[in-house]
Amino acid sequence: IYRMNKDGSGLKQLTTNTANDQCPSVSPDGKKIAFLSERDGSSEIYLMNADGSNQTRITNNTITEEHPSWSPDGTKIYFMRDYSSRTEIWVMNADGSNSVQLTNNQCRDERPFLSSDGQTILFMSNRNGNYEIYMMDTDGSNQRRITNSTGHKVFPIWSSDGRKIVFQSERDGNFE
């Protein structure tokens, strides 16, 4: 995992090992980075300081964990667990404690992304065939589909002002 200034200067490598380190997610205050690593044999979530120091595993599970995403207040990390045939969305305290499952079905619920007000989670799911964009409350309740058209809709994120959602779609045959 690397970090650099937005103009491309100041490139610095933060992790150095032979395992895959990926999917960095910076805490809202910019002091911590959650990321995935396979350095202990399975994909687990780690935390480190923004300068790369103090790399610590915060999950310890036999199930692959993926795509950490911080709550706006920095107290929670939302993530996915991959059960091979399905994925589910979970939340835990930022120190790795108190994991709670938010979705539970036989499909792939993926890529949780929190609204800036911390009230709503965007995610993608194939529970109705092709991938569509869904929302739910942060406790997992009120799950609802917000897109419904041909082709997959994937990787939803909120605009910075929280008024729009940006996503990738293949409704015309190729992803845009």
Side-chain angles (χ1 to χ4, degrees):
I1 296 175
Y2 288 79
R3 138 184 124 202
M4 68 180 175
N5 298 324
K6 64 182 177 180
D7 67 1
S9 66
L11 182 67
K12 179 181 179 187
Q13 186 172 357
L14 300 179
T15 61
T16 56
N17 62 69
T18 58
N20 287 330
D21 291 338
Q22 57 192 354
C23 300
S25 179
V26 179
S27 65
D29 65 6
K31 294 180 180 179
K32 296 282 186 183
I33 300 172
F35 66 99
L36 299 179
S37 182
E38 297 175 350
R39 62 183 71 178
D40 292 323
S42 66
S43 181
E44 299 286 350
I45 298 174
Y46 285 72
L47 281 183
M48 66 178 160
N49 295 331
D51 65 1
S53 65
N54 196 28
Q55 296 178 22
T56 306
R57 185 174 70 189
I58 62 169
T59 61
N60 188 12
N61 204 322
T62 59
I63 299 165
T64 298
E65 300 186 310
E66 301 176 357
H67 305 291
S69 178
W70 292 87
S71 63
D73 65 5
T75 63
K76 305 276 185 196
I77 298 175
Y78 293 79
F79 62 100
M80 302 164 21
R81 284 197 175 143
D82 190 337
Y83 299 88
S84 295
S85 65
R86 70 184 213 283
T87 53
E88 303 295 351
I89 296 173
W90 288 68
V91 63
M92 65 182 165
N93 293 333
D95 64 2
S97 65
N98 195 31
S99 291
V100 176
Q101 186 173 352
L102 299 179
T103 62
N104 187 13
N105 60 67
Q106 294 303 309
C107 296
R108 300 190 72 80
D109 294 335
E110 302 182 11
R111 303 281 183 145
F113 194 81
L114 273 284
S115 59
S116 60
D117 66 5
Q119 300 299 307
T120 308
I121 302 169
L122 277 177
F123 65 103
M124 56 190 247
S125 178
N126 67 351
R127 58 177 79 173
N128 289 66
N130 59 309
Y131 277 100
E132 297 287 347
I133 308 301
Y134 286 75
M135 287 182 171
M136 67 178 157
D137 296 343
T138 55
D139 64 359
S141 65
N142 197 21
Q143 295 181 24
R144 59 216 180 266
R145 182 172 64 184
I146 60 170
T147 61
N148 188 10
S149 61
T150 60
H152 296 300
K153 276 70 67 196
V154 295
F155 311 128
I157 60 170
W158 295 98
S159 63
S160 58
D161 65 6
R163 295 179 26 198
K164 304 233 185 241
I165 297 167
V166 179
F167 61 95
Q168 187 176 344
S169 174
E170 69 167 359
R171 62 181 72 195
D172 66 356
N174 63 320
F175 276 109
E176 298 173 322

